[in-house]
Short mmCIF file of all heavy atoms in Angstrom, two decimals:
data_model
loop_
_atom_site.label_atom_id
_atom_site.label_comp_id
_atom_site.label_asym_id
_atom_site.label_seq_id
_atom_site.Cartn_x
_atom_site.Cartn_y
_atom_site.Cartn_z
N MET A 16 114.06 108.44 74.24
CA MET A 16 113.25 108.12 75.53
C MET A 16 112.10 109.10 75.59
O MET A 16 111.01 108.68 75.85
CB MET A 16 114.20 108.34 76.72
CG MET A 16 113.46 108.16 77.95
SD MET A 16 114.01 106.62 78.73
CE MET A 16 113.38 106.84 80.35
N ALA A 17 112.34 110.39 75.26
CA ALA A 17 111.24 111.34 75.33
C ALA A 17 110.25 111.05 74.27
O ALA A 17 109.00 111.21 74.50
CB ALA A 17 111.79 112.80 75.12
N SER A 18 110.66 110.51 73.09
CA SER A 18 109.69 110.16 72.12
C SER A 18 108.82 109.03 72.53
O SER A 18 107.58 109.02 72.21
CB SER A 18 110.50 109.72 70.84
OG SER A 18 109.61 109.30 69.86
N THR A 19 109.36 108.12 73.32
CA THR A 19 108.48 107.05 73.86
C THR A 19 107.41 107.56 74.81
O THR A 19 106.31 107.09 74.79
CB THR A 19 109.35 105.95 74.51
OG1 THR A 19 110.35 105.55 73.58
CG2 THR A 19 108.51 104.80 74.98
N ALA A 20 107.82 108.47 75.60
CA ALA A 20 106.89 109.07 76.58
C ALA A 20 105.78 109.84 75.93
O ALA A 20 104.63 109.70 76.24
CB ALA A 20 107.63 110.01 77.59
N VAL A 21 106.17 110.61 74.89
CA VAL A 21 105.17 111.28 74.12
C VAL A 21 104.23 110.34 73.41
O VAL A 21 103.00 110.51 73.40
CB VAL A 21 105.83 112.19 73.07
CG1 VAL A 21 104.79 112.86 72.10
CG2 VAL A 21 106.57 113.35 73.77
N SER A 22 104.78 109.28 72.84
CA SER A 22 103.93 108.33 72.14
C SER A 22 103.00 107.58 73.09
O SER A 22 101.79 107.41 72.85
CB SER A 22 104.86 107.24 71.50
OG SER A 22 104.10 106.24 70.91
N SER A 23 103.44 107.28 74.32
CA SER A 23 102.59 106.62 75.35
C SER A 23 101.49 107.62 75.78
O SER A 23 100.36 107.17 75.96
CB SER A 23 103.44 106.24 76.54
OG SER A 23 104.35 105.24 76.24
N HIS A 24 101.82 108.86 75.94
CA HIS A 24 100.85 109.89 76.40
C HIS A 24 99.71 110.02 75.31
O HIS A 24 98.58 110.08 75.56
CB HIS A 24 101.56 111.19 76.68
CG HIS A 24 100.61 112.23 77.20
ND1 HIS A 24 99.92 112.10 78.41
CD2 HIS A 24 100.24 113.43 76.67
CE1 HIS A 24 99.15 113.19 78.56
NE2 HIS A 24 99.35 113.97 77.51
N LEU A 25 100.29 110.08 74.04
CA LEU A 25 99.34 110.29 72.91
C LEU A 25 98.36 109.02 72.85
O LEU A 25 97.21 109.20 72.64
CB LEU A 25 100.09 110.40 71.66
CG LEU A 25 99.31 110.71 70.38
CD1 LEU A 25 98.43 111.88 70.49
CD2 LEU A 25 100.24 110.81 69.13
N HIS A 26 98.97 107.84 72.97
CA HIS A 26 98.16 106.58 72.92
C HIS A 26 97.07 106.62 74.06
O HIS A 26 95.95 106.25 73.87
CB HIS A 26 99.01 105.36 73.04
CG HIS A 26 98.33 104.10 73.01
ND1 HIS A 26 97.65 103.66 71.89
CD2 HIS A 26 98.05 103.17 73.97
CE1 HIS A 26 97.02 102.52 72.12
NE2 HIS A 26 97.28 102.17 73.39
N ALA A 27 97.50 107.15 75.29
CA ALA A 27 96.53 107.13 76.41
C ALA A 27 95.37 108.13 76.06
O ALA A 27 94.25 107.87 76.36
CB ALA A 27 97.26 107.60 77.67
N LEU A 28 95.71 109.25 75.50
CA LEU A 28 94.77 110.24 75.07
C LEU A 28 93.77 109.65 74.12
O LEU A 28 92.51 109.89 74.18
CB LEU A 28 95.38 111.55 74.59
CG LEU A 28 96.10 112.36 75.60
CD1 LEU A 28 96.80 113.54 74.83
CD2 LEU A 28 95.29 112.90 76.69
N GLN A 29 94.34 108.95 73.15
CA GLN A 29 93.43 108.41 72.09
C GLN A 29 92.53 107.31 72.72
O GLN A 29 91.38 107.19 72.33
CB GLN A 29 94.30 107.78 70.96
CG GLN A 29 95.00 108.85 70.14
CD GLN A 29 96.05 108.32 69.16
OE1 GLN A 29 96.66 107.24 69.43
NE2 GLN A 29 96.29 109.09 68.08
N ALA A 30 93.05 106.57 73.66
CA ALA A 30 92.20 105.51 74.32
C ALA A 30 91.12 106.17 75.09
O ALA A 30 89.91 105.75 75.08
CB ALA A 30 93.14 104.63 75.26
N LYS A 31 91.39 107.25 75.79
CA LYS A 31 90.34 107.94 76.53
C LYS A 31 89.36 108.54 75.66
O LYS A 31 88.18 108.49 75.96
CB LYS A 31 91.02 109.11 77.37
CG LYS A 31 91.81 108.66 78.54
CD LYS A 31 92.40 109.91 79.33
CE LYS A 31 93.38 109.45 80.42
NZ LYS A 31 93.83 110.61 81.17
N HIS A 32 89.76 109.07 74.45
CA HIS A 32 88.85 109.57 73.48
C HIS A 32 87.90 108.54 72.95
O HIS A 32 86.73 108.74 72.84
CB HIS A 32 89.63 110.24 72.34
CG HIS A 32 88.78 111.03 71.38
ND1 HIS A 32 88.17 110.41 70.27
CD2 HIS A 32 88.40 112.32 71.34
CE1 HIS A 32 87.47 111.32 69.58
NE2 HIS A 32 87.61 112.47 70.22
N ALA A 33 88.43 107.33 72.69
CA ALA A 33 87.65 106.22 72.24
C ALA A 33 86.61 105.79 73.29
O ALA A 33 85.48 105.40 72.97
CB ALA A 33 88.50 105.04 71.79
N ASP A 34 87.12 105.78 74.53
CA ASP A 34 86.22 105.42 75.60
C ASP A 34 85.09 106.34 75.78
O ASP A 34 83.93 105.98 75.95
CB ASP A 34 86.98 105.35 76.94
CG ASP A 34 86.10 104.93 78.13
OD1 ASP A 34 85.46 103.85 78.11
OD2 ASP A 34 86.03 105.75 79.10
N LEU A 35 85.35 107.65 75.63
CA LEU A 35 84.31 108.65 75.79
C LEU A 35 83.28 108.50 74.57
O LEU A 35 82.13 108.64 74.75
CB LEU A 35 84.92 110.09 75.74
CG LEU A 35 85.58 110.54 77.02
CD1 LEU A 35 86.34 111.82 76.80
CD2 LEU A 35 84.55 110.69 78.15
N ASP A 36 83.83 108.19 73.41
CA ASP A 36 83.01 108.00 72.24
C ASP A 36 82.06 106.82 72.46
O ASP A 36 80.82 106.88 72.16
CB ASP A 36 83.93 107.76 70.96
CG ASP A 36 83.11 107.86 69.65
OD1 ASP A 36 82.32 108.76 69.55
OD2 ASP A 36 83.24 106.91 68.80
N ALA A 37 82.55 105.74 73.04
CA ALA A 37 81.73 104.56 73.29
C ALA A 37 80.69 104.93 74.38
O ALA A 37 79.49 104.56 74.18
CB ALA A 37 82.59 103.44 73.78
N ARG A 38 81.04 105.66 75.43
CA ARG A 38 80.10 106.07 76.39
C ARG A 38 79.04 106.97 75.82
O ARG A 38 77.84 106.91 76.24
CB ARG A 38 80.78 106.76 77.57
CG ARG A 38 81.58 105.87 78.35
CD ARG A 38 82.47 106.49 79.43
NE ARG A 38 81.76 107.36 80.34
CZ ARG A 38 82.26 108.30 81.05
NH1 ARG A 38 83.61 108.45 81.11
NH2 ARG A 38 81.55 109.11 81.81
N LEU A 39 79.40 107.88 74.90
CA LEU A 39 78.45 108.79 74.27
C LEU A 39 77.45 108.02 73.45
O LEU A 39 76.25 108.25 73.53
CB LEU A 39 79.28 109.80 73.36
CG LEU A 39 78.41 110.81 72.67
CD1 LEU A 39 77.70 111.72 73.60
CD2 LEU A 39 79.33 111.62 71.70
N HIS A 40 77.95 107.08 72.69
CA HIS A 40 77.01 106.27 71.89
C HIS A 40 76.10 105.45 72.76
O HIS A 40 74.89 105.23 72.44
CB HIS A 40 77.88 105.34 70.87
CG HIS A 40 78.40 106.12 69.76
ND1 HIS A 40 77.65 106.61 68.74
CD2 HIS A 40 79.72 106.38 69.44
CE1 HIS A 40 78.46 107.22 67.85
NE2 HIS A 40 79.70 107.11 68.31
N GLN A 41 76.62 104.90 73.82
CA GLN A 41 75.84 104.12 74.79
C GLN A 41 74.77 104.99 75.39
O GLN A 41 73.57 104.55 75.42
CB GLN A 41 76.75 103.58 75.82
CG GLN A 41 76.09 102.62 76.79
CD GLN A 41 77.15 102.03 77.75
OE1 GLN A 41 78.00 102.70 78.23
NE2 GLN A 41 77.03 100.74 78.04
N GLU A 42 75.10 106.21 75.75
CA GLU A 42 74.07 107.12 76.31
C GLU A 42 73.00 107.52 75.30
O GLU A 42 71.78 107.53 75.60
CB GLU A 42 74.71 108.40 76.88
CG GLU A 42 73.82 109.38 77.55
CD GLU A 42 73.13 108.87 78.79
OE1 GLU A 42 73.70 108.03 79.53
OE2 GLU A 42 71.97 109.18 79.07
N MET A 43 73.43 107.76 74.12
CA MET A 43 72.50 108.15 73.04
C MET A 43 71.53 106.99 72.64
O MET A 43 70.43 107.22 72.16
CB MET A 43 73.20 108.64 71.79
CG MET A 43 73.94 110.01 72.11
SD MET A 43 75.03 110.60 70.81
CE MET A 43 73.80 110.99 69.52
N ALA A 44 71.90 105.77 72.93
CA ALA A 44 71.18 104.59 72.57
C ALA A 44 70.14 104.26 73.63
O ALA A 44 69.16 103.43 73.37
CB ALA A 44 72.00 103.40 72.39
N ARG A 45 70.19 104.98 74.77
CA ARG A 45 69.21 104.66 75.83
C ARG A 45 67.79 105.24 75.36
O ARG A 45 67.74 106.16 74.53
CB ARG A 45 69.61 105.46 77.11
CG ARG A 45 70.87 104.85 77.70
CD ARG A 45 71.26 105.65 78.93
NE ARG A 45 70.07 105.83 79.86
CZ ARG A 45 70.10 106.55 80.93
NH1 ARG A 45 71.19 107.16 81.28
NH2 ARG A 45 69.03 106.71 81.68
N PRO A 46 66.72 104.62 75.91
CA PRO A 46 65.43 105.15 75.52
C PRO A 46 65.11 106.58 75.82
O PRO A 46 64.61 107.27 75.06
CB PRO A 46 64.46 104.22 76.37
CG PRO A 46 65.28 103.04 76.74
CD PRO A 46 66.68 103.49 76.83
N VAL A 47 65.71 107.06 76.95
CA VAL A 47 65.63 108.49 77.31
C VAL A 47 66.97 108.97 77.61
O VAL A 47 67.41 108.94 78.83
CB VAL A 47 64.65 108.71 78.47
CG1 VAL A 47 64.50 110.16 78.81
CG2 VAL A 47 63.30 108.07 78.19
N PRO A 48 67.72 109.41 76.63
CA PRO A 48 69.14 109.88 76.93
C PRO A 48 69.16 111.12 77.78
O PRO A 48 68.33 111.93 77.69
CB PRO A 48 69.67 110.24 75.46
CG PRO A 48 68.74 109.66 74.54
CD PRO A 48 67.36 109.47 75.23
N ASP A 49 70.16 111.20 78.63
CA ASP A 49 70.34 112.32 79.50
C ASP A 49 71.19 113.39 78.76
O ASP A 49 72.34 113.23 78.40
CB ASP A 49 71.10 111.90 80.83
CG ASP A 49 71.25 113.06 81.74
OD1 ASP A 49 70.75 114.21 81.54
OD2 ASP A 49 71.98 112.85 82.78
N THR A 50 70.51 114.52 78.37
CA THR A 50 71.16 115.54 77.58
C THR A 50 72.31 116.16 78.29
O THR A 50 73.28 116.52 77.63
CB THR A 50 70.17 116.59 77.09
OG1 THR A 50 69.51 117.11 78.25
CG2 THR A 50 69.12 116.01 76.18
N ALA A 51 72.23 116.30 79.56
CA ALA A 51 73.39 116.88 80.29
C ALA A 51 74.59 115.96 80.22
O ALA A 51 75.74 116.44 80.08
CB ALA A 51 73.00 117.11 81.79
N THR A 52 74.41 114.66 80.32
CA THR A 52 75.46 113.74 80.26
C THR A 52 76.08 113.75 78.87
O THR A 52 77.31 113.73 78.70
CB THR A 52 74.96 112.28 80.57
OG1 THR A 52 74.53 112.31 81.92
CG2 THR A 52 76.10 111.31 80.49
N ILE A 53 75.23 113.87 77.83
CA ILE A 53 75.68 113.89 76.46
C ILE A 53 76.57 115.14 76.22
O ILE A 53 77.61 115.04 75.64
CB ILE A 53 74.50 113.78 75.51
CG1 ILE A 53 73.92 112.40 75.55
CG2 ILE A 53 74.97 114.16 74.07
CD1 ILE A 53 72.61 112.28 74.70
N GLN A 54 76.07 116.22 76.72
CA GLN A 54 76.86 117.43 76.57
C GLN A 54 78.20 117.40 77.28
O GLN A 54 79.21 117.78 76.76
CB GLN A 54 76.05 118.68 77.06
CG GLN A 54 74.90 119.08 76.17
CD GLN A 54 74.09 120.25 76.76
OE1 GLN A 54 74.10 120.54 77.92
NE2 GLN A 54 73.43 120.97 75.87
N ALA A 55 78.22 116.81 78.43
CA ALA A 55 79.50 116.74 79.23
C ALA A 55 80.43 115.83 78.53
O ALA A 55 81.63 116.14 78.43
CB ALA A 55 79.13 116.26 80.62
N LEU A 56 79.90 114.70 78.01
CA LEU A 56 80.76 113.74 77.22
C LEU A 56 81.40 114.38 76.03
O LEU A 56 82.53 114.27 75.64
CB LEU A 56 80.05 112.51 76.93
CG LEU A 56 79.73 111.55 78.08
CD1 LEU A 56 78.77 110.46 77.64
CD2 LEU A 56 81.03 111.00 78.67
N LYS A 57 80.55 115.17 75.22
CA LYS A 57 81.01 115.88 74.04
C LYS A 57 82.07 116.83 74.38
O LYS A 57 83.03 117.01 73.64
CB LYS A 57 79.84 116.48 73.36
CG LYS A 57 78.97 115.52 72.62
CD LYS A 57 77.82 116.17 71.81
CE LYS A 57 77.05 115.27 71.00
NZ LYS A 57 76.00 115.97 70.31
N LYS A 58 81.95 117.58 75.48
CA LYS A 58 82.93 118.63 75.86
C LYS A 58 84.20 117.92 76.16
O LYS A 58 85.32 118.36 75.81
CB LYS A 58 82.47 119.38 77.07
CG LYS A 58 81.45 120.48 76.72
CD LYS A 58 81.01 121.25 77.87
CE LYS A 58 79.92 122.27 77.55
NZ LYS A 58 79.42 123.03 78.67
N GLN A 59 84.17 116.82 76.93
CA GLN A 59 85.36 116.07 77.27
C GLN A 59 86.08 115.54 76.06
O GLN A 59 87.26 115.61 75.87
CB GLN A 59 85.01 114.89 78.21
CG GLN A 59 84.61 115.32 79.63
CD GLN A 59 84.14 114.19 80.40
OE1 GLN A 59 84.62 112.96 80.20
NE2 GLN A 59 83.33 114.38 81.50
N LYS A 60 85.30 115.03 75.11
CA LYS A 60 85.87 114.51 73.80
C LYS A 60 86.55 115.66 73.13
O LYS A 60 87.61 115.46 72.55
CB LYS A 60 84.75 113.95 72.96
CG LYS A 60 84.51 112.48 73.15
CD LYS A 60 83.47 111.92 72.20
CE LYS A 60 84.06 112.01 70.79
NZ LYS A 60 83.18 111.47 69.74
N LEU A 61 85.93 116.79 73.06
CA LEU A 61 86.52 118.02 72.32
C LEU A 61 87.86 118.38 72.97
O LEU A 61 88.77 118.63 72.24
CB LEU A 61 85.44 119.13 72.35
CG LEU A 61 85.98 120.39 71.53
CD1 LEU A 61 86.32 120.04 70.14
CD2 LEU A 61 84.92 121.43 71.65
N ARG A 62 87.90 118.44 74.33
CA ARG A 62 89.14 118.78 74.95
C ARG A 62 90.20 117.81 74.64
O ARG A 62 91.39 118.27 74.38
CB ARG A 62 88.93 118.85 76.46
CG ARG A 62 88.20 120.08 76.92
CD ARG A 62 88.22 120.20 78.46
NE ARG A 62 87.04 120.96 78.84
CZ ARG A 62 86.00 120.48 79.49
NH1 ARG A 62 85.98 119.15 79.85
NH2 ARG A 62 84.98 121.22 79.83
N LEU A 63 89.89 116.59 74.65
CA LEU A 63 90.93 115.60 74.37
C LEU A 63 91.35 115.67 72.89
O LEU A 63 92.48 115.53 72.59
CB LEU A 63 90.35 114.12 74.59
CG LEU A 63 90.40 113.66 76.02
CD1 LEU A 63 89.62 112.35 76.16
CD2 LEU A 63 91.78 113.63 76.54
N LYS A 64 90.38 115.88 72.00
CA LYS A 64 90.69 116.00 70.53
C LYS A 64 91.62 117.17 70.39
O LYS A 64 92.62 117.09 69.57
CB LYS A 64 89.38 116.18 69.77
CG LYS A 64 89.66 116.32 68.26
CD LYS A 64 88.38 116.53 67.57
CE LYS A 64 88.53 116.77 66.03
NZ LYS A 64 87.32 117.02 65.38
N GLU A 65 91.49 118.34 71.03
CA GLU A 65 92.31 119.47 70.92
C GLU A 65 93.63 119.13 71.46
O GLU A 65 94.73 119.56 70.92
CB GLU A 65 91.65 120.68 71.60
CG GLU A 65 90.50 121.20 70.94
CD GLU A 65 89.72 122.30 71.73
OE1 GLU A 65 90.03 122.43 72.92
OE2 GLU A 65 88.83 122.97 71.14
N GLU A 66 93.75 118.40 72.61
CA GLU A 66 95.02 118.02 73.15
C GLU A 66 95.81 117.16 72.24
O GLU A 66 97.00 117.30 72.05
CB GLU A 66 94.83 117.39 74.56
CG GLU A 66 96.15 117.22 75.33
CD GLU A 66 95.94 116.78 76.76
OE1 GLU A 66 94.77 116.88 77.23
OE2 GLU A 66 96.96 116.37 77.35
N ILE A 67 95.05 116.19 71.65
CA ILE A 67 95.70 115.26 70.67
C ILE A 67 96.24 116.00 69.49
O ILE A 67 97.30 115.75 69.00
CB ILE A 67 94.71 114.16 70.25
CG1 ILE A 67 94.34 113.24 71.41
CG2 ILE A 67 95.28 113.32 69.06
CD1 ILE A 67 93.20 112.25 71.22
N ALA A 68 95.51 116.92 69.04
CA ALA A 68 95.88 117.77 67.84
C ALA A 68 97.14 118.57 68.09
O ALA A 68 97.88 118.93 67.21
CB ALA A 68 94.76 118.65 67.34
N GLY A 69 97.43 118.91 69.35
CA GLY A 69 98.60 119.63 69.77
C GLY A 69 99.91 118.88 69.65
O GLY A 69 100.98 119.41 69.74
N PHE A 70 99.76 117.52 69.40
CA PHE A 70 101.01 116.70 69.31
C PHE A 70 101.52 116.64 67.97
O PHE A 70 101.09 116.67 66.96
CB PHE A 70 100.64 115.26 69.80
CG PHE A 70 100.81 115.12 71.30
CD1 PHE A 70 99.66 115.35 72.06
CD2 PHE A 70 102.02 114.90 71.93
CE1 PHE A 70 99.73 115.20 73.39
CE2 PHE A 70 102.06 114.72 73.26
CZ PHE A 70 100.89 114.96 74.03
#
């Protein structure tokens, strides 16, 4: 049972990471990307990546 909860949590983290990656690419594709938004998205991705690596 605990394994299923961990697997679900890990899957949710990976989905959030993929969503942030898509938002990052979308922002970078804009004619005038917002550098503050890009930095914030990159920081969020890094935090998620570190949390995922902890599993």
Side-chain angles (χ1 to χ4, degrees):
M16 177 109 167
S18 176
T19 303
V21 170
S22 178
S23 295
H24 184 66
L25 183 58
H26 181 68
L28 291 175
Q29 290 170 333
K31 287 180 186 179
H32 188 271
D34 180 57
L35 286 171
D36 193 46
R38 289 173 52 197
L39 180 62
H40 286 290
Q41 189 176 38
E42 182 64 33
M43 292 173 70
R45 292 179 49 187
V47 182
D49 182 7
T50 56
T52 300
I53 290 172
Q54 287 178 338
L56 290 171
K57 285 183 177 182
K58 284 181 183 179
Q59 290 175 21
K60 272 186 61 178
L61 181 59
R62 283 189 209 110
L63 281 174
K64 182 179 175 183
E65 290 171 347
E66 191 172 345
I67 291 168
F70 278 91

